[in-house]
Amino acid sequence: MNRFFFIFTLFALLFLQQANAQTGIIRGKVTDAATNEPIPFAIVSLEGTSIGMACNIEGVYELKNLNPGLYNVQAKVIGYKSQTVYEIQVTNVKAAEANFALEADVNKSDTVVIQASPFNKTAESPVSLRTIGVAEIERNPGGNRDISKAIQSLPGVASSNAFRNDIIIRGGAPNENRFFLDGVEVPNINHFATQGASGGPVGMINVNFIREVDFYSGAFPAMRGNAMSSVFDFKMKDGNADKLITTATIGASDFGITFDGPIGKRTNFIFSARRSYLQFLFKALELPFLPIYNDFQLKTKTKIGEKGELSFIGLGAIDNFELNLDANETEDQKYLLGNLPVYQQWNYTNGLTYRHNRDDGYLFFVLSRNMLNNTITKYVNNDESSIDNLIQNYKSQESENKFRFEQVIYKKTWKFSYGTGTERVRFTSDTYQKVALPFGVYTFDYESKLAFQKYSLFAQVSRKMMEERLTLSAGLRTDFSDYSKEMSNPLDQLSPRVSLAFAVTEKIAININVGRYYQLPAYTVLGYRDTANQLVNKNNGVKYIRCDHLVAGIEIAPWNNAKITIEGFYKIYQHYPFLLTDSISLANLGVDFGVIGNAPVTSTSNGRSYGAEFLIQQKLFKGFYGIAALTLVRSEFKTKNDVYAPSAWDNRFIVALTAGKKFKKNWELGVRWRVQGGTPFTPYNVALSSLKTSWDITGRGIPDYDRLNASRLSTFHQMDVRVDKKWFLKKFSINLYIDIQNVYGAKQQSAPILTVERDSNGNPVTDPNNPNAYKTYFINQVSGNSLPTIGLIVEF
């Protein structure tokens, strides 16, 4: 308390001494979206004010002497569609940057400036695309400045339990999503990733790097592959061009520092490092696990001549997951300690990109490498004194060396894009694990080394017609590899896609997309071997997973800076991995910490996901912003009896209401309320689980897959509130925020735990009716406490 008292006292003194000098600056450049050539004399103005100016002959502008705060910046010029960049944060510390790439008005009016939609919409993706600005991520109530949590305000996005960041889009699994940082693919964006499934409890990308994020929940452009549920295109900030800027952050779970500035005249950089203190909070709460993480991020950008840009992107993390053996009093704690493993994990992604702008488009080259190292160990009762107690020892590495080339060409009302890519994959694993299966205890004990090449070809063409009322786009992609003959033929993975957008009126549009998408199964599936060192799943003829999408919707622009959308979607899955040991689809396994997919499978599982989404969104206007989203969804996969059953991601319905208001003197209030239907779960086979031969090895219940997902958790709801206060001084700025997750302490139900009764010495009690079994009982899992946190961001 003394520490917080000191901080608040310091803030009070600073507040009394602050100077409200109007030294804020917004600068940038206005260019042609097709040619990247500057647009001279474009008018740039601040929405809702009389402040504005004309660009110079090079398309450059600089608005000076601004009060600190958030501004919507608009650029317009005759012959082009106007464009607005929302929520540019102005401080006295550094100049804010807002660049514009204006689309030509094909009607070529000499007197009228066409107002473009404030919401991003492309010819390739007229539906299921939403752009999220950095301010929306930073201020999101309960989001902890984490993109994985911020998108939960949008339709189609479900969440898993409170300790994980799994991204579940339209009833699809978390490993069906793909992430790109300025064009560099990143396999996972969370700490403590579940190998083979993605996810993790904490985001890895520092929001200080993000300018905006394009979030696709369908209608994927042809140049983005290996995804079935979503694609995230992160557009990163550039380093400050004037001077070195430092940003220090203390958040809900970590503290970090960010530096950005120039390196010479043509290069800038931005670098950050973060360290968690979540382990101290978890220990104080007497939780049985202690997550410790570190991450590092770097971007440099160098101008090469007048038309070239060379960028380096780096992202890395070091994660350790330890057990808190002192938290061993309650039944919940004992169960978790008995089942959670200890693991260490590190990963990195490094990428080099080069963009060369041409008079009719641009060329883009990407060379990157990413690697994951994962180590997991578990002993019976956490007793490491004897090797006989070992029940899991897993060591694995995944690496990918990638090259991709893209070219985009604009010809009047036409847009062409095409390219190719290749990856060299290496996967190794040393696996020892004892598991309890319906037919008894089985020991996986094998080593695997795997290397193969992946290839891709893609092209897309788009055209605007009927004075831009009608836009059509068609794309074709293929992905193939030399892993096996089933995956080597590019014709077997042809993935066409077609989009249509028709403006019924100036405010109403109908949008449709249909497409076929393929995704390679996880490397844990491809690299699984038996004791004879055979690649079991390769011999089983495992294939690329296929998913067909149909999305249609209507979009309405009812008033300024707002939109209403209604979208329906239908997804059909084929060739999904089917687990032979459990006789279930991999989509019904769910996720947990550790590894998913290292088991024998066949590509015989089929499924479907379908539903409707409703969205009303108001971007920042007169100090107010808000999002109301409703999702109705069904996610189902066929069982071993060839009948549909709910998948692990079948939430049925999701409601998200988010709103905020900016007040005078730089105060801001944000509120988010979410209601989410409970997910299904599979009951335990109590008779089989209680057998001593099973329990002594695994210490957990065995699911009864004859009753696959026959039970369901209760509906969960939660309200989060965030209050921000900002001070803007001559030399630095301060943002203090209070974020309260689950304000009214709503309780969230998790699947009940099956455990055994124990005597006073802690030993399992034998069932008096069956000497070969233990007495068992269920522990009901209910969690949900109000979690207030204080965050501090200082920029100087």
Side-chain angles (χ1 to χ4, degrees):
M1 291 301 295
N2 290 335
R3 180 176 58 184
F4 286 112
F5 178 79
F6 171 77
I7 292 174
F8 279 109
T9 302
L10 177 63
F11 287 154
L13 292 174
L14 291 172
F15 178 76
L16 292 173
Q17 298 175 12
Q18 68 174 311
N20 291 317
Q22 298 181 5
T23 59
I25 297 173
I26 300 177
R27 65 164 66 121
K29 190 173 184 179
V30 181
T31 59
D32 187 297
T35 66
N36 207 45
E37 292 295 318
I39 300 177
F41 313 123
I43 302 299
V44 179
S45 59
L46 304 184
E47 186 178 80
T49 75
S50 59
I51 300 172
M53 67 173 293
C55 297
N56 63 18
I57 192 70
E58 297 178 346
V60 174
Y61 74 93
E62 185 173 274
L63 301 174
K64 298 181 179 180
N65 302 320
L66 303 177
N67 280 321
L70 281 178
Y71 294 91
N72 296 339
V73 189
Q74 184 182 70
K76 58 184 179 181
V77 65
I78 293 174
Y80 288 86
K81 295 180 180 180
S82 68
Q83 182 182 1
T84 302
V85 177
Y86 288 86
E87 302 189 49
I88 297 298
Q89 179 67 69
V90 173
T91 71
N92 296 324
V93 178
K94 65 178 180 180
E97 190 170 285
N99 295 314
F100 298 86
L102 302 187
E103 293 184 17
D105 171 22
V106 298
N107 299 317
K108 296 185 177 178
S109 170
D110 294 328
T111 59
V112 178
V113 176
I114 303 299
Q115 175 67 49
S117 169
F119 300 92
N120 191 15
K121 180 178 177 180
T122 67
E124 300 88 349
S125 308
V127 289
S128 306
L129 168 60
R130 296 172 179 90
T131 298
I132 308 163
V134 62
E136 296 175 81
I137 301 171
E138 289 182 316
R139 69 181 179 222
N140 189 265
N144 193 23
R145 305 175 82 238
D146 189 334
I147 180 64
S148 299
K149 295 185 182 298
I151 63 169
Q152 292 176 16
S153 296
L154 299 176
V157 183
S159 60
S160 56
N161 67 54
F163 295 111
R164 291 187 61 86
N165 256 9
D166 299 301
I167 300 174
I168 303 164
I169 309 296
R170 290 181 170 175
N175 65 345
E176 297 175 16
N177 310 305
R178 288 296 170 267
F179 312 96
F180 294 84
L181 305 184
D182 276 353
V184 176
E185 184 176 359
V186 178
N188 184 51
I189 60 171
N190 287 304
H191 288 281
F192 308 100
T194 300
Q195 190 175 2
S198 181
V202 182
M204 198 164 63
I205 297 177
N206 188 340
V207 73
N208 292 339
F209 275 71
I210 299 174
R211 177 165 53 88
E212 63 182 20
V213 183
D214 287 338
F215 164 50
Y216 303 80
S217 55
F220 310 137
M223 63 178 60
R224 297 290 182 255
N226 207 37
M228 296 189 298
S229 280
S230 77
V231 171
F232 289 77
D233 259 332
F234 290 83
K235 298 175 182 178
M236 314 302 284
K237 294 178 181 176
D238 296 334
N240 187 268
D242 299 325
K243 59 182 179 180
L244 180 65
I245 300 296
T246 302
T247 304
T249 305
I250 301 176
S253 60
D254 55 45
F255 60 89
I257 192 164
T258 302
F259 302 101
D260 70 293
I263 306 176
K265 294 183 178 180
R266 304 185 70 86
T267 301
N268 58 68
F269 84 98
I270 179 169
F271 169 81
S272 79
R274 297 190 301 180
R275 167 77 174 181
S276 74
Y277 53 79
L278 199 62
Q279 64 273 22
F280 303 115
L281 174 62
F282 278 34
K283 193 166 187 176
L285 295 174
E286 297 184 342
L287 294 175
F289 50 93
L290 305 174
I292 306 169
Y293 63 85
N294 309 266
D295 59 51
F296 313 91
Q297 200 165 341
L298 171 67
K299 176 184 176 180
T300 67
K301 184 176 181 179
T302 302
K303 293 182 178 180
I304 308 295
E306 294 300 318
K307 293 182 179 268
E309 296 174 348
L310 181 68
S311 297
F312 174 81
I313 305 293
L315 176 67
I318 303 173
D319 303 329
N320 292 302
F321 194 92
E322 301 177 355
L323 297 180
N324 180 14
L325 298 179
D326 293 332
N328 192 29
E329 295 182 1
T330 69
E331 291 296 331
D332 283 355
Q333 291 172 333
K334 292 177 181 179
Y335 178 84
L336 290 173
L337 285 175
N339 285 277
L340 288 175
V342 173
Y343 69 85
Q344 295 81 40
Q345 189 179 99
W346 55 259
N347 69 83
Y348 67 81
T349 297
N350 293 323
L352 197 64
T353 71
Y354 176 72
R355 173 170 169 148
H356 182 77
N357 297 307
R358 297 158 47 103
D359 292 340
D360 61 350
Y362 63 88
L363 304 173
F364 190 65
F365 302 86
V366 184
L367 183 65
S368 67
R369 173 179 171 83
N370 54 264
M371 188 170 183
L372 167 71
N373 186 90
N374 198 18
T375 302
I376 303 173
T377 56
K378 185 63 182 177
Y379 288 82
V380 174
N381 296 325
N382 302 309
D383 182 3
E384 302 179 17
S385 62
S386 173
I387 194 65
D388 294 334
N389 294 330
L390 183 66
I391 57 176
Q392 185 178 16
N393 188 19
Y394 178 83
K395 300 177 182 178
S396 179
Q397 288 190 338
E398 297 180 3
S399 66
E400 297 172 322
N401 296 316
K402 305 176 183 179
F403 171 79
R404 192 175 77 254
F405 161 73
E406 302 170 2
Q407 180 166 10
V408 176
I409 300 172
Y410 296 92
K411 295 290 185 182
K412 295 184 178 179
T413 60
W414 293 85
K415 177 184 177 182
F416 305 89
S417 61
Y418 62 89
T420 184
T422 184
E423 301 179 24
R424 185 62 178 175
V425 176
R426 293 186 180 274
F427 170 83
T428 65
S429 70
D430 185 353
T431 302
Y432 176 85
Q433 185 176 10
K434 295 179 180 179
V435 297
L437 299 172
F439 53 80
V441 175
Y442 184 82
T443 300
F444 293 93
D445 190 0
Y446 66 92
E447 294 185 21
S448 182
K449 293 184 178 180
L450 179 66
F452 62 95
Q453 200 76 20
K454 297 164 58 178
Y455 307 91
S456 64
L457 297 166
F458 49 87
Q460 191 142 2
V461 58
S462 307
R463 189 187 181 190
K464 297 178 179 179
M465 296 177 286
M466 298 173 57
E467 298 182 342
E468 295 199 43
R469 290 185 63 191
L470 176 64
T471 302
L472 297 175
S473 183
L476 185 65
R477 181 185 178 93
T478 182
D479 294 270
F480 53 102
S481 78
D482 61 7
Y483 171 80
S484 67
K485 60 182 178 61
E486 286 81 8
M487 297 184 176
S488 62
N489 188 345
L491 298 179
D492 290 338
Q493 286 83 233
L494 282 178
S495 52
R497 59 209 71 191
V498 178
S499 295
L500 177 151
F502 180 71
V504 180
T505 69
E506 290 185 359
K507 294 184 176 293
I508 301 175
I510 296 173
N511 309 304
I512 301 173
N513 173 269
V514 59
R516 172 168 291 175
Y517 310 104
Y518 284 92
Q519 181 174 317
L520 192 72
Y523 297 141
T524 52
V525 171
L526 302 182
Y528 173 73
R529 294 180 185 268
D530 59 15
T531 54
N533 202 35
Q534 295 293 310
L535 285 171
V536 174
N537 297 325
K538 179 179 180 179
N539 295 336
N540 288 342
V542 68
K543 301 177 181 180
Y544 278 83
I545 309 169
R546 191 176 92 184
C547 188
D548 296 336
H549 286 210
L550 172 61
V551 186
I554 183 170
E555 180 179 351
I556 304 170
W559 56 79
N560 199 19
N561 295 355
K563 75 172 180 179
I564 299 172
T565 62
I566 303 172
E567 291 186 9
F569 62 90
Y570 200 100
K571 299 161 61 176
I572 301 174
Y573 292 91
Q574 291 185 329
H575 311 315
Y576 219 93
F578 186 82
L579 294 166
L580 298 178
T581 51
D582 296 317
S583 296
I584 64 168
S585 172
L586 192 62
N588 281 318
L589 196 60
V591 294
D592 204 343
F593 296 104
V595 184
I596 297 292
N598 52 338
V601 305
T602 58
S603 292
T604 55
S605 179
N606 298 322
R608 62 190 182 189
S609 176
Y610 55 94
E613 298 171 353
F614 305 86
L615 170 70
I616 303 175
Q617 182 173 3
Q618 172 70 62
K619 282 187 173 291
L620 181 66
F621 185 66
K622 295 184 178 180
F624 173 80
Y625 56 88
I627 298 176
L630 167 65
T631 304
L632 304 175
V633 61
R634 294 289 187 273
S635 178
E636 303 167 329
F637 274 77
K638 286 191 173 181
T639 68
K640 61 183 179 181
N641 298 319
D642 200 36
V643 296
Y644 282 109
S647 79
W649 325 111
D650 183 52
N651 287 97
R652 300 293 177 91
F653 70 92
I654 308 161
V655 178
L657 304 176
T658 307
K661 181 71 172 71
K662 292 184 173 297
F663 299 94
K664 294 180 179 180
K665 297 185 178 180
N666 299 309
W667 285 92
E668 181 176 348
L669 171 67
V671 180
R672 181 174 69 178
W673 185 65
R674 276 175 55 87
V675 184
Q676 181 172 289
T679 53
F681 67 94
T682 301
Y684 291 108
N685 185 329
V686 177
L688 185 60
S689 302
S690 62
L691 292 177
K692 294 180 178 179
T693 53
S694 298
W695 193 270
D696 287 343
I697 296 297
T698 64
R700 64 171 63 193
I702 301 172
D704 183 359
Y705 288 122
D706 288 331
R707 296 185 292 158
L708 178 65
N709 286 340
S711 300
R712 186 175 290 272
L713 301 176
S714 60
T715 297
F716 173 70
H717 53 90
Q718 176 174 315
M719 178 178 287
D720 306 317
V721 175
R722 174 169 167 144
V723 178
D724 284 74
K725 168 62 181 170
K726 295 179 181 179
W727 291 269
F728 300 101
L729 294 93
K730 288 184 178 181
K731 298 295 185 180
F732 58 94
S733 63
I734 299 171
N735 181 9
L736 174 68
Y737 65 88
I738 300 175
D739 193 307
I740 307 176
Q741 298 180 44
N742 197 10
V743 171
Y744 50 77
K747 301 302 179 182
Q748 181 176 9
Q749 180 189 23
S750 299
I753 294 173
L754 181 70
T755 189
V756 297
E757 292 188 13
R758 298 180 182 274
D759 60 22
S760 58
N761 296 319
N763 298 314
V765 176
T766 299
D767 185 348
N769 299 317
N770 184 358
N772 297 318
Y774 295 124
K775 292 182 66 176
T776 59
Y777 69 101
F778 286 98
I779 301 174
N780 291 322
Q781 290 196 94
V782 178
S783 61
N785 295 312
S786 181
L787 182 60
T789 58
I790 297 176
L792 173 67
I793 304 169
V794 181
E795 187 178 60
F796 55 93

